[in-house]
Amino acid sequence: MENWSLVSICVLFGLTARWAVSLNSYSGAGKPPMFGDYEAQRHWQEVTYNLPVHEWYFNTTDNNLNYWGLDYPPLTAYHSLLCAHVAKLINPDWVELHASRGHESYGHKLFMRATVLVADLLIYIPAVVLYSFYLSEGSNKKKVCTVLCILLYPGLILIDYGHFQYNSISLGLALWGVVVLGLGWDVLGSLAFVLSLNYKQMELYHSLPFFCYLLGKCFKQGLAGRGLFLLVKIAVTVLVTFALCWLPFLSDPGQILQVVHRLFPVGRGLFEDKVANTWCSLNVLIKIKTILSTDTQLYFSLTTTLLAILPSSIKLLMKPTLWQFKLALVNSSLAFFLFSFQVHEKSILLPAFMLPLFLKDGLLVPYVVTSLAFLFFSIYLLSAFEHCSEDKLRLGPYRRLLICMPRMDLGRVTKWKFYFSITAMAGLSFMSVALAPPDQLPDLFPLLVSVFSYLHFLGLLLYFNIVQIAEPLQSVRKNQKKSN
Amino acid sequence: LASVSLITALAVHCVVLLTMTVFSGYFSHSTDFEVHRNWLAITHSLPVSKWYHENTSEWTLDYPPLFAWFEYSLSHVAQHFDKEMLVVQNLIYTSPATILFQRLSVIVTDIVFIYAVKECCRSVREEKGSKDLLGHPFFILAALLLWNFGLLIVDHIHFQYNGFLFGILLLSVARHLQGRHLEGALLFTVLLNLKHIYLYIAPAYGIFLLRSYCFTKDNTDGSVRWSSFSPVRLVALGSIVISVGALSFGPFIAMGQLPQVLSRLFPFKRGLCHAYWAPNVWALYNMVDKALSVLGVRLKLLDVAKLPKASMTGGLVQEFQHSILPSVSPSITLICTLLSIMPAVLSIWCRPRGARGFLRCLVVCALGSFMFGWHVHEKAILMAILPFSILAVESREDAGIFLMLTTTGHYSLFPLLFTAAELPIKVLLMLLFTLYSFTSLKKLFRGSLLNPLETTYLLGLVAVEILCEVVYPLSPWQHTLPFVPLLVTSVYCSLGVSYSFIRLYVSLLRQHGTDKHKQL
């Protein structure tokens, strides 16, 4: 079958899965007074439509920042404004100032879900298709399988269509950035990424790799000539895009400060709830949150984050290839997630870990279904197990590290570890749902899930870092297929 | 290779099904859901003698007794989910446990369907030559059957046990294709006792078994060799039929309730057409009648007061009269149906072409009964589409007819899902299935399968959809003439279905003709 029909079928299938999930409950459904993320998005539409721009991020009589105040960069606000205009055409009640608070109805739910779907369709899905076809290796069939697996990624589906957020826009724009950079158009790539950054500040997790990759490319082309020219072009693009996005706020420095203050709430503490990062897990053993003051926590986490991300960035700077870039993206986001300040679970977008969140939202069945589907498809279509040999997993460096265990087939070890992890995750999921925790430890299951996931993420961070750093600086002639 | 492809298709099927249950809580208010819950309650809580007399709920038991036994066994599992659903008085009871149980029961009984699909794939004739997995007829047939849009919509969104029933039908067909006729006959009898709508295709079975099974040999020119009649086989068939019938109807005959059961099974009070007209001949008939009456009133040939008040499109199933053309009674529809299937049945008597000829005749009978039957539900088109899929992956001409029939037939199911939330689902699934069927069959038979006129007609479906779902609701006529979208859909689809019917018949008779020529 031709590619276009197979890809269309995958896309249609992904869309069906998305809409099917979206018919379920959303975050904060029927839970006054605060409701949840769904209400937050609706509230932002109300605020951006009814109030003038310079009041959006400020605490005024009309805009109570304690009730879901705007805490994403301006592009989210513009997007909400656009949606609000559409909402006004369909049913003005949805965005009435003050009166529409906590508004929940069948029609409104369809409208909100539809906005997510439209955004996804316009931004994220084309990026995925282009990425699979231009930037991944393998036969055509392999590429189609990649499209299918990426589109079925449960984390994104469940968060965006279940819990309710617009991650697909920021992720999509970042992915566009990657695709365009891969095609060699550096300026456009940086433009796309800046837009993505201006949609959600969470994209800062990916900013260092972009920065190092582009800088490395400039260095490679020689700072005396074309490299400098490229650097200037990129710098100008970035600055101009930022300026355009923040245009309404540039008139007053107070505005800019307030927006930044909203985007980075440093007053809040090292972590909230149960997050699978270092601080939360460490808190089980040593109560860091209470020992250190907020400022110390801030500096401590900043330093560790930078340290964690340093090796990968330097390597990328020295060898700015696409493969290194992809690895660096993974490493950087993992490092940020594990070590930074005020991290929310959603930042990792990994499903098994967000189980407690989904249970709260009443999304258990979609979670089970989509995770199983994704697991099945990834394993079957991407032949994950076939490629579990040592060579494919690039476990060479590990070999060198673990010289004490020369006889083990690390490929098999990985496979068994995978089985074990899956079983453990299934077990934890089941227990979280079916059993009640003992009275002395009411948070037992979320904690277990987060610590378990944390160990996995730490392991992944180490693995990817080693893989990235161990790659030789000059690509060897023999290994052509990895040398992109 | 076969098992791998089947496993893939199967797994995808399961995934899709489970995805459906993802929003199962949303679609609990389908009437079919309440119907089956009621039947669970009746069979569980009441003694057998009361099953066909019970009418607390308007959804009385109107399937044959074997299905009642099936519901009875299900109810034993149901009581572990939620005992309250088994109380007859709890009308429209929809607790989450009830919904979960019902949906799961459909998914679990679908195992029969999956097994039947596997058996059908085994019987498919294929050309030699290496094909990749996706282009293999096995896989295409499995996909066309397992992901059939109509079945998905009707079973898993709307709620019925069609997967289970069609599984038995397809299994019976597969057994005949494999030459295991007694098993096929047994399966069909069981099916008849589960849902009597399959009486429509009983003539095909009857004549085929009589001709090709009871007469063990044919003459050289293909005609009947009376001397080869095997009474043993006839007795075997007869005993199968009687014993299954006894198992299902026996208790009721013993209690003298047979007339009551029959009256429940065949409720002829219901009206020529369903509230939404199935796209058959009577839809066109009604349309012509309405058009003539409107024309007559305009041209002052008729008096408005004299026209009957009851509207066929009023959404109520009641008996009514046509205004201009002669009224149609149940017996007329029966005669028309019999006339329409007569040539097909005769052809497998005179020139039997083995199990494949039987399959073709079966499809013709199913389609004929759809076209001319009394109170046909549009879901009945599936009875023709599903068996036809087997023929479609084997012959080029059949593939063309199949594409036409299946696309129009599936589109005619759209009005079953009318809420705004279901709109993306049905459009996406329809696109998925249509895209897949077109591209895979095109690849299999290397070339275009439809002529330009047919393609234009099918593209017209898109226009009809936009008109009915987007344009019309926003127009001022939505309130005064709310049935117009349904009417347009039904009439437009009946053109497509009738055309497929005629083409199918032509191909059957043409084959009959070439056989005759071969003998000369």
Side-chain angles (χ1 to χ4, degrees):
Chain A
M1 279 172 74
E2 308 100 35
N3 269 346
W4 69 265
S5 54
L6 278 175
V7 169
S8 321
I9 289 183
C10 291
V11 169
L12 284 173
F13 192 57
L15 285 175
T16 318
R18 280 161 165 71
W19 188 258
V21 172
S22 68
L23 291 173
N24 278 270
S25 160
Y26 48 79
S27 153
K31 292 198 189 114
M34 283 301 276
F35 301 95
D37 273 345
Y38 176 89
E39 168 64 17
Q41 298 285 351
R42 192 213 56 74
H43 181 70
W44 295 346
Q45 289 173 13
E46 172 195 334
V47 163
T48 53
Y49 186 80
N50 291 302
L51 300 178
V53 176
H54 56 264
E55 277 186 39
W56 288 354
Y57 287 91
F58 281 91
N59 212 348
T60 64
T61 40
D62 278 337
N63 184 14
N64 179 10
L65 287 183
N66 277 332
Y67 184 78
W68 301 116
L70 205 58
D71 53 2
Y72 281 139
L75 251 133
T76 303
Y78 303 147
H79 179 238
S80 297
L81 184 61
L82 183 64
C83 293
H85 276 291
V86 178
K88 193 85 180 182
L89 282 176
I90 304 178
N91 184 348
D93 285 340
W94 294 342
V95 286
E96 270 313 310
L97 192 59
H98 301 312
S100 61
R101 237 180 228 202
H103 181 97
E104 287 181 301
S105 70
Y106 173 79
H108 187 234
K109 180 176 174 191
L110 281 184
F111 167 70
M112 298 291 273
R113 297 294 193 197
T115 54
V116 183
L117 192 70
V118 165
D120 213 351
L121 199 53
L122 288 177
I123 301 183
Y124 183 68
I125 293 183
V128 171
V129 174
L130 284 175
Y131 173 80
S132 306
F133 274 90
Y134 287 116
L135 292 189
S136 64
E137 313 145 354
S139 68
N140 269 341
K141 248 214 191 95
K142 196 77 192 270
K143 299 188 178 184
V144 174
C145 293
T146 318
V147 171
L148 186 64
C149 287
I150 299 183
L151 283 182
L152 282 183
Y153 181 59
L156 195 56
I157 299 183
L158 286 171
I159 283 290
D160 269 15
Y161 291 87
H163 186 79
F164 204 89
Q165 283 213 335
Y166 288 101
N167 289 310
S168 55
I169 300 187
S170 57
L171 279 178
L173 283 171
L175 194 55
W176 273 107
V178 173
V179 170
V180 166
L181 280 184
L183 292 175
W185 302 329
D186 300 321
V187 175
L188 280 178
S190 46
L191 171 73
F193 182 69
V194 171
L195 285 176
S196 163
L197 191 57
N198 274 307
Y199 192 88
K200 266 204 173 142
Q201 68 272 34
M202 205 166 83
E203 285 298 319
L204 271 179
Y205 287 16
H206 293 147
S207 55
L208 263 172
F210 271 87
F211 178 71
C212 294
Y213 176 74
L214 289 170
L215 197 60
K217 249 187 142 179
C218 295
F219 283 160
K220 244 212 166 87
Q221 290 186 0
L223 262 191
R226 286 181 49 216
L228 186 63
F229 184 50
L230 184 61
L231 189 60
V232 168
K233 265 200 302 192
I234 295 177
V236 166
T237 319
V238 168
L239 287 171
V240 167
T241 323
F242 258 104
L244 281 175
C245 290
W246 288 62
L247 199 58
F249 306 99
L250 285 181
S251 49
D252 177 17
Q255 286 273 334
I256 304 182
L257 273 178
Q258 172 69 356
V259 176
V260 172
H261 185 72
R262 289 295 300 167
L263 294 184
F264 301 103
V266 291
R268 283 217 226 150
L270 200 49
F271 62 85
E272 277 176 24
D273 280 342
K274 305 280 166 287
V275 184
N277 75 357
T278 325
W279 311 126
C280 183
S281 309
L282 209 52
N283 204 40
V284 176
L285 301 170
I286 328 167
K287 297 282 172 222
I288 319 183
K289 220 172 167 181
T290 40
I291 298 181
L292 305 172
S293 75
T294 317
D295 279 344
T296 332
Q297 288 169 14
L298 189 58
Y299 292 132
F300 195 45
S301 73
L302 202 60
T303 341
T304 37
T305 315
L306 284 176
L307 278 178
I309 201 179
L310 208 58
S312 142
S313 309
I314 295 183
K315 184 62 195 277
L316 181 58
L317 210 61
M318 296 196 297
K319 185 180 182 195
T321 64
L322 205 61
W323 172 243
Q324 284 279 326
F325 179 48
K326 292 185 207 174
L327 282 173
L329 281 171
V330 174
N331 282 326
S332 160
S333 38
L334 268 175
F336 265 95
F337 178 78
L338 287 177
F339 293 105
S340 76
F341 198 77
Q342 254 302 307
V343 171
H344 285 284
E345 312 105 351
K346 297 188 273 290
S347 319
I348 193 72
L349 285 184
L350 229 84
F353 165 62
M354 293 191 289
L355 175 61
L357 184 68
F358 294 140
L359 283 182
K360 226 172 30 164
D361 283 350
L363 284 173
L364 178 65
V365 176
Y367 157 72
V368 168
V369 169
T370 42
S371 311
L372 284 176
F374 179 70
L375 269 177
F376 174 77
F377 278 116
S378 328
I379 297 178
Y380 185 75
L381 290 178
L382 296 181
S383 317
F385 287 151
E386 273 167 34
H387 293 169
C388 237
S389 68
E390 268 201 33
D391 178 49
K392 300 284 181 74
L393 284 178
R394 300 167 207 274
L395 287 171
Y398 274 101
R399 257 245 158 256
R400 286 178 235 132
L401 283 181
L402 299 169
I403 39 178
C404 46
M405 293 190 259
R407 288 207 197 293
M408 275 200 328
D409 178 5
L410 283 177
R412 285 253 305 274
V413 170
T414 319
K415 221 197 241 188
W416 282 107
K417 189 204 142 307
F418 179 72
Y419 285 141
F420 170 72
S421 306
I422 295 288
T423 330
M425 282 197 251
L428 272 175
S429 309
F430 179 70
M431 283 197 297
S432 306
V433 176
L435 305 176
D439 283 329
Q440 318 97 289
L441 308 162
D443 282 328
L444 180 65
F445 293 128
L447 200 63
L448 275 179
V449 170
S450 77
V451 170
F452 182 76
S453 314
Y454 168 66
L455 291 172
H456 276 78
F457 296 150
L458 201 59
L460 280 173
L461 181 69
L462 284 172
Y463 167 72
F464 280 114
N465 263 304
I466 293 182
V467 169
Q468 180 178 7
I469 295 176
E471 210 182 314
L473 266 183
Q474 304 301 331
S475 48
V476 184
R477 276 290 130 189
K478 285 194 291 182
N479 297 353
Q480 271 310 322
K481 63 178 169 127
K482 297 191 227 113
S483 66
N484 190 355
Chain B
L1 179 66
S3 52
V4 163
S5 64
L6 209 47
I7 290 176
T8 324
L10 162 69
V12 179
H13 173 75
C14 292
V15 165
V16 172
L17 280 188
L18 290 174
T19 318
M20 295 299 176
T21 56
V22 153
F23 52 87
S24 63
Y26 199 73
F27 296 111
S28 62
H29 39 267
S30 135
T31 48
D32 283 321
F33 190 86
E34 167 61 17
V35 167
H36 286 275
R37 186 216 60 77
N38 188 40
W39 293 355
L40 277 176
I42 292 179
T43 51
H44 188 87
S45 329
L46 300 175
V48 177
S49 53
K50 292 249 176 27
W51 285 359
Y52 282 93
H53 286 282
E54 172 61 35
N55 57 2
T56 316
S57 159
E58 51 178 326
W59 311 116
T60 57
L61 196 55
D62 56 1
Y63 279 13
L66 203 56
F67 197 82
W69 294 114
F70 169 68
E71 292 272 8
Y72 179 64
S73 46
L74 273 182
S75 68
H76 281 295
V77 181
Q79 63 188 359
H80 298 293
F81 278 75
D82 184 350
K83 281 211 157 57
E84 292 300 311
M85 74 169 108
L86 298 172
V87 176
V88 180
Q89 275 69 30
N90 279 348
L91 296 181
I92 322 226
Y93 181 72
T94 51
S95 74
T98 314
I99 298 174
L100 186 65
F101 169 71
Q102 297 271 53
R103 296 288 178 186
L104 277 181
S105 66
V106 177
I107 294 181
V108 167
T109 51
D110 261 3
I111 290 181
V112 177
F113 186 67
I114 296 174
Y115 177 66
V117 169
K118 169 171 168 288
E119 288 296 310
C120 283
C121 291
R122 265 180 45 187
S123 329
V124 164
R125 268 199 302 243
E126 42 159 318
E127 309 150 18
K128 289 299 160 215
S130 65
K131 291 189 179 65
D132 63 325
L133 174 64
L134 290 181
H136 211 271
F138 274 20
F139 183 77
I140 298 182
L141 180 62
L144 287 178
L145 285 174
L146 288 173
W147 302 340
N148 187 295
F149 168 76
L151 203 57
L152 282 175
I153 294 284
V154 164
D155 256 18
H156 296 280
I157 300 189
H158 238 241
F159 199 83
Q160 279 209 333
Y161 287 97
N162 285 312
F164 172 59
L165 296 170
F166 278 116
I168 300 183
L169 176 66
L170 286 176
L171 195 57
S172 153
V173 166
R175 290 285 176 257
H176 283 301
L177 287 173
Q178 292 162 358
R180 289 147 75 170
H181 296 291
L182 276 179
E183 288 180 36
L186 172 65
L187 285 164
F188 183 67
T189 330
V190 166
L191 184 66
L192 259 188
N193 281 297
L194 280 171
K195 193 169 177 181
H196 52 292
I197 200 173
Y198 294 98
L199 266 178
Y200 283 133
I201 52 177
Y205 268 91
I207 302 292
F208 169 68
L209 284 172
L210 197 58
R211 176 70 174 82
S212 302
Y213 185 66
C214 295
F215 291 94
T216 44
K217 287 211 226 330
D218 292 337
N219 286 331
T220 37
D221 65 349
S223 63
V224 179
R225 184 187 289 194
W226 296 98
S227 56
S228 70
F229 180 72
S230 155
V232 172
R233 290 191 170 184
L234 184 63
V235 166
L237 284 177
S239 55
I240 289 178
V241 173
I242 294 178
S243 55
V244 175
L247 201 65
S248 108
F249 279 90
F252 297 94
I253 300 178
M255 288 187 285
Q257 286 193 355
L258 194 60
Q260 170 70 2
V261 174
L262 288 178
S263 76
R264 283 285 171 91
L265 254 50
F266 301 100
F268 275 109
K269 282 284 159 222
R270 278 212 199 144
L272 177 63
C273 288
H274 200 62
Y276 157 62
W277 306 345
N280 61 8
V281 162
W282 304 127
L284 289 172
Y285 192 81
N286 289 348
M287 179 71 190
V288 169
D289 184 65
K290 251 213 168 350
L292 286 178
S293 71
V294 166
L295 206 62
V297 168
R298 284 277 170 79
L299 297 177
K300 306 275 192 278
L301 293 171
L302 293 170
D303 185 6
V304 177
K306 287 219 207 86
L307 292 174
K309 284 294 167 195
S311 159
M312 282 163 250
T313 50
L316 303 166
V317 284
Q318 59 200 126
E319 289 191 73
F320 51 76
Q321 312 284 2
H322 286 87
S323 18
I324 304 206
L325 300 173
S327 280
V328 178
S329 71
S331 19
I332 296 187
T333 62
L334 189 62
I335 296 174
C336 288
T337 316
L338 287 176
L339 282 177
S340 70
I341 65 176
M342 195 61 65
V345 168
L346 278 177
S347 92
I348 59 165
W349 173 267
C350 302
R351 295 274 177 273
R353 244 164 286 113
R356 276 185 171 67
F358 154 66
L359 185 54
R360 191 174 296 270
C361 177
L362 190 151
V363 176
V364 169
C365 287
L367 205 47
S369 63
F370 179 81
M371 297 295 296
F372 294 100
W374 178 264
H375 199 79
V376 171
H377 200 285
E378 60 274 358
K379 294 183 215 161
I381 195 79
L382 290 177
M383 194 160 56
I385 291 181
L386 287 174
F388 196 27
S389 318
I390 305 178
L391 291 175
V393 299
E394 286 182 348
S395 125
R396 196 199 171 86
E397 192 188 355
D398 284 336
I401 307 176
F402 175 76
L403 285 177
M404 188 71 172
L405 180 65
T406 224
T407 317
T408 16
H410 284 165
Y411 180 71
S412 71
L413 292 173
F414 263 35
L416 281 178
L417 305 179
F418 46 83
T419 64
E422 294 153 324
L423 177 63
I425 293 279
K426 71 185 184 195
V427 168
L428 287 172
L429 286 177
M430 177 84 184
L431 280 176
L432 256 174
F433 183 77
T434 317
L435 186 63
Y436 181 75
S437 54
F438 271 83
T439 46
S440 61
L441 286 177
K442 223 171 178 175
K443 180 92 180 292
L444 187 63
F445 293 112
R446 275 176 285 272
S448 171
L449 296 167
L450 298 176
N451 63 42
L453 186 63
E454 291 166 339
T455 323
T456 328
Y457 173 80
L458 288 179
L459 285 175
L461 280 176
V462 177
V464 171
E465 167 68 4
I466 298 179
L467 186 77
C468 292
E469 300 256 20
V470 180
V471 173
Y472 196 81
L474 300 173
S475 76
W477 299 303
Q478 173 65 13
H479 297 290
T480 47
L481 304 169
F483 55 84
V484 166
L486 294 181
L487 197 142
V488 169
T489 315
S490 161
V491 169
Y492 195 80
C493 290
S494 50
L495 291 174
V497 175
S498 319
Y499 174 76
S500 311
F501 181 56
I502 295 173
R503 267 195 71 181
L504 190 57
Y505 234 122
V506 164
S507 84
L508 185 145
L509 292 175
R510 203 185 297 147
Q511 281 188 357
H512 185 91
T514 43
D515 276 356
K516 254 201 167 125
H517 281 278
K518 269 201 234 144
Q519 309 311 324
L520 294 173

